[in-house]
Amino acid sequence: MINKTGLVFFPAFDWSISDIHPEREERLLYTRDQIFEEGVLDLPEIVEYSPRVATPHDISRVHFCVPNVDDQVLAAHRIAAGAAMRLSDRIINKEITNGFAIVRPPGHHAMRVVHGNRGFCSINNEAVVIEHLRRTYGIKKIAIVDTDVHHGDGTQDIYYHDPDVLFISFHQDGRTLYPGTGFTDELGGPTAYGSTINIPLPPGVTDKSLHYVVDNLILPVLQDFQPEFIINSAGQDNHYTDPLGSMLITAQGYAQLTEKLRPNLAVLEGGYAIETALPYVNLAILLALAGKDYSNVTEPDYQPGKNVENSKVTEYVCRMVDSLQTTWRKSKEITIDQLCGSNKYYQRPKNIFYDTEYFEEKQLEKVRTCFDCPGYVIIDSHAIQPKLGRCRVLAISIHNRCCKKCIAEAWDAYQEAKKDYRYSYVYLQDKTEDTFITFRREDQSEWLTEG
Amino acid sequence: MYIGIDVGGTSTDAVLLSNGRVQATAKVYNTPNNLLSDLVQALDTLMKGVTADEIERVVLSTTVITNLIAERKNDPVGLLLMPGPGCKLQLYKKPNVHLLSGTIDYKGREITPVVEEEIIAAIDDFDSKGIDKVAIVGKFSPRNNRHELQVADIVTKLKPNWQVEMGHRDGGKLNFPRRVATTLFTCATKEKYQSFVYSVQQALRQRHINAQVFILKADGGTMPLESSIQSPVETIFSGPAASTLGAQALTPAGETSLVIDIGGTTTDLALILSGQPLLSSKGVMLDDQFTQVRALAVKSVPVGGDSIVEAVGKELIIYSERMGKPYCLGGPLPTPTDALNVMGLTKLGDIDKSWAAMEVLSQQTQRSPVEVARNIIDLFVDTVVTEIENMYLEWEQEPAYRIWEVMQSRKMRTKNVVGVGGGAMGFVPQIAIKIGGIPIISPYATAANAIGAAVAKPTMQVTLRADTEQKVYSIEEYGYQGKIEATPFGRDQALNLAKKWLLDRAAAIDIGDQIQEIEVTRQDVFNIVRDMQTTGRIYDVCVQTVRGIQWHVDAGGRLI
């Protein structure tokens, strides 16, 4: 196979949330300048592609957009997700070995149910790729490593009950940063226990401790899980100059991380030090993916020994890695029985805050604790959207490996909910059939998309 | 009346156009090292019965510079580079290259200064090797040329007679390796190009032609011969541009066409979209290096009328190399041209010889000579058709950075299939049928290059980037950097400044009267935000003269 790295650069230069919002057009302007000026797109190892546009159906494989995909998703979102999809296709077709989607807007805070924009995200670019890969190519085991300074709570939410998708996220401790989640005890639901690994790091971590985590925890867990495809949610906001995070990672640190992870696909997430970090970090990662020498890519103000890690931070990280190693080893012996006893459903209430538009969603999430399959998920979701007003919906998701009994139960639940006056919309996502049905109470209409 | 002259590698073709009609054509086989007499001979053929003062304009297209570089006859050049941090490119680990200190960032801010001692040491090194041409290129020099100017200053002070070229003058686009290549080639070819220009001027003077003289660029525009001395690399690969423009002139205005130029060694494909030839997103490649020279998007397929055909077992294979002339013209091996002769699609040279060539292949493959000829043509057509499809796909795949660019779907297949070049008559109708298009082949199909040169209009482009936070602006094409004086400075001011630059430059090279309309091709605004405050804006504006051709020959009639 030829060693080539694909790049889709989609800066959406004609879109932003607002003029001074951190997630704005200028974010990738200097990255473009740096990448163009370096001439890396002329390298034979790097191929540039245009994005494709994700269809509403591609998005419905992942999300329940309330009320509809078109109400929540703009062209920019569809292109960012489509960019990542295009690269994933080229990777599967062996045109390229790996790819980097340098796109905006980002997506890892977008959860399964979408009432609005959270943490600058509306749809989850990585999840759209994963469902596309499963449906189109029958890929079973996929790992996502989230290297953004913020916890990838959206991705975690989508795959919390999915034993086939390993989600590993390191991030700045949720007690000190948005979105305030991602602790070590969040390990996945009963049917997918141990397939979520969170590594909350204290502020002030440098390249040294980060690589300790990578070498002693992330790489062994990946090795153990044996994924067929690895996606890196590549947030660049662990950088020592990032205005939102408090970490001390360098461009070199990021590049080495990439070299070790060897992701098939990296998708840009956050990173708001648009002048001091993004041009250098993105370039270094791109070179690392392409197997080129990145040792000369340094920030203008970088000096060796500039970022010093507090010894307490180092010790803390070591202890956490130690304890997580134990948790990971033990998780394999823990059974559904031990977690839920004889309960038919495992359920948890959730409060979700939409920080861009300032409103809250209340959820009750239930997963069928089936012994034969990953079970199906039912979400009862209630929010007061600024645009739509009060809206309560029921969303049912059937995993692509669900057993016949679970499929039948899930369909029954859907039919029952259609009769329930409390729900304005009822959704059914059947991944075994690749169909997505929406029922609208107002006019009793029902429509379906399928691939 | 307009004259178009195509100075090729083996022949000089010329055409005289009057009111959109071809009045005369000329073909002169080149004599080595005597360009002047070839040109005079071509002019004399054209101008029978025409007086010199009737000629309004002369446009040349040439491969002189392309060939110089291909044959590595260019002069040695010393490179002074300031690459700063970033990629390590193996390319620069060469003798005659010195890497200097000095770093500028993407916004044009100085990070580290240049070091004078390093420059002096490099000059000593070049001096000891007898190099007296120096190219100076810094990373991000289009955003701030200070370091390049400083280095040039030191070189000129110590060696007043050396030729010095600077990156920001020769390629203002962001792409350091391409800028290095462009500056290097400018430096290496300037002297020899001057003698070409001199020969042209001599020839015209001898025939008392005082018309404006232009030279065709790879992007299909023209520039005055006089000002082309500053940037000879702009003239490279004007051949494919000439044939595309020629095809454009031979088709109705405003239509979308596929151009197929079938030559001896290669078949060149180009696209004309709604009357405009498609520009390539990458710069011209020269000596395995990309340059910053803008060019029309031309895809070269390595088969042509003179490609050699061989039988391997019972299979026929067309090889991409050329071993000389077709068999019918005394060449060594069977070619697609011979196949056309046998099928009665052309009548070139000795037709009996073409039959003999097919005969040989016929024995090896145990098929009749006609079947063999048919197979060769099919193979040829299939090869070209596959590449046409690939070309469309590549075009659809061109990167897009804005939402509107992605959302307007790029899927299109052309109706018109315009054939030019020697092999057009035989192959293009069959290719057109295969892809469901209408073949258009003008009787002047073989003179398309010279026609293309004759009808080409002068084109100019100005790309302005203004940063109101730093109060500076730069003009990519001319390497100019200046201060923003106007307050307030907004979108309109940025656009007007770019337009003013365009008109001023046009006037300076005496083509101001030929610019009727200015097109805005890009207009981006970026807010610069610090601590949640907008502290400035970056304006990225590109304006150009409306591209196009002067005339459609024979009203672009569809003749076959």
Side-chain angles (χ1 to χ4, degrees):
Chain A
M1 193 159 87
I2 329 151
N3 278 325
K4 280 188 191 255
T5 293
L7 171 71
V8 176
F9 182 66
F10 181 68
F13 279 152
D14 48 357
W15 178 79
S16 72
I17 295 173
S18 76
D19 266 10
I20 56 161
H21 197 280
E23 209 306 278
R24 63 182 184 275
E25 309 96 304
E26 193 197 358
R27 245 189 93 210
L28 291 179
L29 179 61
Y30 311 122
T31 292
R32 177 194 69 172
D33 286 353
Q34 193 74 36
I35 286 177
F36 280 18
E37 176 69 350
E38 296 285 355
V40 290
L41 300 181
D42 292 343
L43 292 174
E45 294 91 347
I46 293 176
V47 202
E48 193 182 8
Y49 295 100
S50 69
R52 59 183 268 193
V53 187
T55 64
H57 185 71
D58 292 325
I59 293 160
S60 299
R61 278 198 192 110
V62 177
H63 295 292
F64 299 102
C65 294
V66 181
N68 293 307
V69 171
D70 290 340
D71 297 297
Q72 295 293 348
V73 179
L74 304 171
H77 301 123
R78 293 174 56 191
I79 299 167
M85 287 171 78
R86 162 134 299 152
L87 286 172
S88 72
D89 286 331
R90 308 289 160 178
I91 293 160
I92 301 297
N93 296 336
K94 298 202 188 307
E95 259 178 59
I96 49 177
T97 323
N98 54 28
F100 192 6
I102 304 185
V103 296
R104 54 181 288 270
H108 75 151
H109 295 304
M111 298 194 166
R112 207 193 293 248
V113 177
V114 178
H115 282 280
N117 188 295
R118 296 187 70 245
F120 328 150
C121 307
S122 288
I123 58 168
N124 196 300
N125 299 328
E126 291 85 354
V128 171
V129 169
I130 288 177
E131 296 310 322
H132 170 67
L133 287 176
R134 285 172 157 186
R135 187 68 217 170
T136 318
Y137 306 104
I139 289 176
K140 195 184 154 210
K141 289 175 91 177
I142 297 171
I144 312 171
V145 182
D146 191 316
T147 57
D148 191 279
V149 79
H150 303 93
H151 177 226
D153 58 344
T155 318
Q156 170 168 317
D157 177 72
I158 295 166
Y159 293 110
Y160 205 65
H161 304 295
D162 195 327
D164 298 341
V165 178
L166 171 67
F167 175 70
I168 306 176
S169 175
F170 71 73
H171 42 264
Q172 190 176 319
D173 194 309
R175 287 167 295 188
T176 63
L177 192 68
Y178 178 90
T181 52
F183 298 102
T184 50
D185 61 339
E186 297 161 34
L187 289 157
T191 58
Y193 193 71
S195 72
T196 296
I197 302 282
N198 281 301
I199 311 156
L201 300 170
V205 167
T206 64
D207 292 351
K208 189 181 81 177
S209 276
L210 179 67
H211 280 274
Y212 182 80
V213 172
V214 173
D215 296 337
N216 295 287
L217 189 61
I218 297 178
L219 295 179
V221 169
L222 280 173
Q223 174 65 28
D224 205 7
F225 184 75
Q226 288 287 314
E228 295 161 61
F229 198 92
I230 301 176
I231 300 178
N232 176 206
S233 273
Q236 326 298 31
D237 37 13
N238 284 292
H239 194 263
Y240 65 90
T241 61
D242 195 89
L244 304 190
S246 316
M247 303 300 238
L248 300 173
I249 307 303
T250 65
Q252 286 294 314
Y254 265 111
Q256 285 154 11
L257 169 66
T258 309
E259 204 168 56
K260 288 180 184 175
L261 276 182
R262 300 167 59 90
N264 298 93
L265 177 65
V267 182
L268 182 71
E269 286 295 338
Y272 307 95
I274 58 172
E275 291 195 28
T276 46
L278 284 178
Y280 309 102
V281 177
N282 285 330
L283 173 66
I285 291 179
L286 184 60
L287 291 175
L289 284 171
K292 302 292 287 184
D293 186 347
Y294 55 78
S295 61
N296 204 31
V297 183
T298 49
E299 299 85 346
D301 67 338
Y302 179 75
Q303 282 148 9
K306 180 177 173 149
N307 301 322
V308 184
E309 190 173 282
N310 186 313
S311 63
K312 281 184 184 152
V313 168
T314 316
E315 284 161 32
Y316 181 94
V317 172
C318 286
R319 270 204 311 279
M320 183 171 50
V321 167
D322 224 31
S323 112
L324 275 167
Q325 282 169 335
T326 314
T327 311
W328 165 255
R329 271 198 307 276
K330 284 188 181 159
S331 70
K332 282 174 257 177
E333 289 138 31
I334 295 174
T335 62
I336 297 177
D337 243 0
Q338 283 169 301
L339 291 164
C340 304
S342 56
N343 290 331
K344 189 176 177 185
Y345 298 100
Y346 162 90
Q347 66 180 44
R348 52 173 189 163
K350 285 195 290 187
N351 283 340
I352 296 156
F353 184 61
Y354 289 81
D355 60 305
T356 310
E357 292 157 288
Y358 280 81
F359 68 92
E360 205 176 30
E361 174 196 355
K362 285 195 190 306
Q363 267 191 17
L364 183 68
E365 183 193 64
K366 294 202 295 184
V367 60
R368 173 73 163 97
T369 51
C370 182
F371 290 86
D372 300 321
C373 74
Y376 57 89
V377 178
I378 299 181
I379 300 167
D380 186 332
S381 157
H382 192 169
I384 304 176
Q385 290 185 23
K387 285 168 284 188
L388 194 70
R390 182 180 293 278
C391 189
R392 184 165 175 185
V393 303
L394 192 82
I396 303 166
S397 175
I398 301 172
H399 191 279
N400 64 320
R401 282 203 292 120
C402 264
C403 64
K404 278 189 178 145
K405 211 172 129 219
C406 277
I407 297 171
E409 271 182 39
W411 276 87
D412 284 348
Y414 171 72
Q415 296 302 345
E416 280 307 305
K418 278 165 66 179
K419 296 175 207 157
D420 191 331
Y421 68 93
R422 291 173 302 171
Y423 302 117
S424 311
Y425 290 87
V426 184
Y427 305 101
L428 178 76
Q429 183 187 63
D430 185 346
K431 294 185 189 175
T432 64
E433 300 269 340
D434 198 29
T435 49
F436 181 75
I437 310 179
T438 305
F439 170 78
R440 180 166 58 201
R441 171 151 323 279
E442 197 179 25
D443 55 359
Q444 299 284 310
S445 64
E446 188 173 50
W447 63 93
L448 171 141
T449 66
E450 52 191 1
Chain B
M1 281 189 224
Y2 289 10
I3 288 177
I5 305 173
D6 179 38
V7 184
T10 50
S11 69
T12 296
D13 291 84
V15 64
L16 180 73
L17 284 188
S18 165
N19 294 323
R21 289 197 179 277
V22 177
Q23 298 292 331
T25 59
K27 191 179 197 72
V28 179
Y29 285 95
N30 296 351
T31 41
N33 302 319
N34 210 343
L35 179 62
L36 180 59
S37 72
D38 297 340
L39 284 170
V40 171
Q41 203 187 327
L43 286 175
D44 289 345
T45 316
L46 287 186
M47 293 181 53
K48 284 190 183 108
V50 178
T51 57
D53 55 3
E54 286 178 82
I55 307 299
E56 298 162 66
R57 192 170 77 180
V58 179
V59 187
L60 291 129
S61 88
T62 175
T63 53
V64 167
I65 296 299
T66 321
N67 293 343
L68 263 185
I69 295 166
E71 292 160 22
R72 296 174 193 276
K73 285 183 183 162
N74 43 324
D75 301 324
V77 174
L79 267 177
L80 294 178
L81 304 180
M82 292 167 275
C87 290
K88 269 190 188 166
L89 296 177
Q90 298 303 316
L91 188 65
Y92 305 128
K93 286 190 183 155
K94 281 183 187 168
N96 303 349
V97 179
H98 284 263
L99 301 185
L100 307 178
S101 303
T103 322
I104 301 277
D105 81 352
Y106 45 81
K107 273 193 150 184
R109 297 171 295 205
E110 180 182 69
I111 297 168
T112 54
V114 295
V115 176
E116 189 165 348
E117 293 77 50
E118 292 175 358
I119 304 160
I120 294 168
I123 294 171
D124 287 344
D125 176 49
F126 293 150
D127 206 11
S128 70
K129 291 172 180 163
I131 293 171
D132 61 356
K133 293 183 164 59
V134 180
I136 304 162
V137 190
K139 206 170 271 176
F140 287 113
S141 66
R143 295 284 159 83
N144 185 347
N145 55 22
R146 201 167 94 206
H147 286 174
E148 285 184 2
L149 292 171
Q150 282 174 355
V151 176
D153 227 34
I154 294 168
V155 176
T156 316
K157 251 184 218 139
L158 289 171
K159 303 284 173 189
N161 299 322
W162 283 16
Q163 185 191 332
V164 175
E165 297 292 332
M166 286 177 283
H168 72 277
R169 306 270 315 170
D170 280 307
K173 265 208 173 68
L174 288 184
N175 191 319
F176 180 66
R178 289 190 201 176
R179 190 159 63 251
V180 171
T182 313
T183 314
L184 175 75
F185 289 131
T186 303
C187 209
T189 56
K190 223 173 191 175
E191 249 180 52
K192 294 211 162 74
Y193 183 72
Q194 270 169 339
S195 66
F196 164 79
V197 170
Y198 181 73
S199 296
V200 173
Q201 287 168 334
Q202 280 286 100
L204 295 173
R205 208 168 298 144
Q206 281 184 18
R207 291 296 174 263
H208 309 289
I209 297 171
N210 295 314
Q212 270 191 302
V213 188
F214 293 89
I215 189 127
L216 193 67
K217 298 184 290 177
D219 68 356
T222 61
M223 60 181 166
L225 187 66
E226 197 69 43
S227 61
S228 72
I229 293 173
Q230 292 311 315
S231 46
V233 275
E234 290 278 345
T235 69
I236 55 177
F237 287 101
S238 55
S243 74
T244 307
L245 292 181
Q248 191 186 352
L250 296 169
T251 43
E255 291 196 0
T256 292
S257 312
L258 168 71
V259 179
I260 307 179
D261 180 359
I262 300 184
T265 357
T266 63
T267 296
D268 291 340
L269 307 172
L271 275 176
I272 297 173
L273 302 177
S274 309
Q276 290 294 342
L278 185 68
L279 276 167
S280 165
S281 59
K282 288 208 168 180
V284 162
M285 200 177 210
L286 209 53
D287 205 11
D288 287 337
Q289 291 174 51
F290 282 109
T291 65
Q292 294 209 330
V293 177
R294 279 192 352 149
L296 297 185
V298 176
K299 189 179 174 78
S300 210
V301 187
V303 291
D306 306 346
S307 299
I308 51 176
V309 182
E310 270 183 11
V312 176
K314 288 186 179 179
E315 291 294 311
L316 290 167
I317 293 177
I318 304 181
Y319 288 99
S320 53
E321 59 256 67
R322 177 181 188 266
M323 299 287 279
K325 292 173 181 170
Y327 204 72
C328 58
L329 292 173
L333 288 162
T335 64
T337 304
D338 294 304
L340 287 178
N341 265 349
V342 167
M343 296 303 289
L345 293 166
T346 49
K347 286 188 178 64
L348 194 72
D350 185 345
I351 304 219
D352 288 343
K353 276 195 157 181
S354 288
W355 277 95
M358 293 304 118
E359 212 53 78
V360 176
L361 295 173
S362 137
Q363 279 163 13
Q364 284 169 294
T365 59
Q366 293 167 7
R367 270 173 276 183
S368 74
V370 174
E371 259 181 298
V372 168
R374 182 75 256 163
N375 277 344
I376 293 170
I377 292 166
D378 284 349
L379 263 179
F380 190 100
V381 169
D382 287 347
T383 309
V384 176
V385 166
T386 308
E387 291 301 323
I388 290 170
E389 196 47 45
N390 286 342
M391 181 186 61
Y392 283 130
L393 292 177
E394 274 168 34
W395 174 67
E396 284 160 15
Q397 279 291 308
E398 289 272 291
Y401 302 142
R402 288 161 194 81
I403 294 162
W404 66 265
E405 289 173 327
V406 179
M407 297 311 282
Q408 61 167 17
S409 76
R410 283 182 179 169
K411 203 155 176 72
M412 179 279 314
R413 296 294 180 265
T414 56
K415 268 247 141 60
N416 292 344
V417 180
V418 185
V420 294
M425 196 61 92
F427 288 116
V428 170
Q430 307 193 49
I431 293 169
I433 288 164
K434 260 248 155 97
I435 60 172
I438 306 160
I440 300 176
I441 298 163
S442 152
Y444 300 114
T446 52
N449 271 24
I451 292 175
V455 297
K457 266 193 194 172
T459 54
M460 290 185 86
Q461 177 181 299
V462 162
T463 309
L464 173 131
R465 185 191 161 98
D467 180 338
T468 67
E469 192 193 35
Q470 302 195 79
K471 298 201 182 330
V472 290
Y473 77 95
S474 58
I475 303 291
E476 195 176 283
E477 287 74 14
Y478 304 106
Y480 178 86
Q481 280 155 35
K483 284 212 163 353
I484 293 175
E485 308 285 357
T487 44
F489 187 88
R491 193 187 285 261
D492 292 344
Q493 284 76 15
L495 193 59
N496 288 337
L497 186 59
K499 285 182 178 171
K500 185 179 174 312
W501 260 90
L502 188 73
L503 292 171
D504 286 355
R505 297 305 299 193
I509 56 170
D510 207 19
I511 56 164
D513 56 326
Q514 294 177 51
I515 291 173
Q516 283 104 23
E517 219 181 310
I518 298 176
E519 246 175 11
V520 182
T521 52
R522 193 171 72 232
Q523 201 179 6
D524 281 328
V525 186
F526 299 93
N527 290 315
I528 304 169
V529 180
R530 271 180 233 286
D531 304 327
M532 305 293 273
Q533 299 271 330
T534 302
T535 55
R537 287 197 169 84
I538 289 173
Y539 294 92
D540 197 350
V541 178
C542 184
V543 293
Q544 67 178 27
T545 56
V546 176
R547 294 200 292 142
I549 53 173
Q550 200 77 25
W551 280 324
H552 285 269
V553 172
D554 293 336
R558 290 173 190 230
L559 301 161
I560 183 160

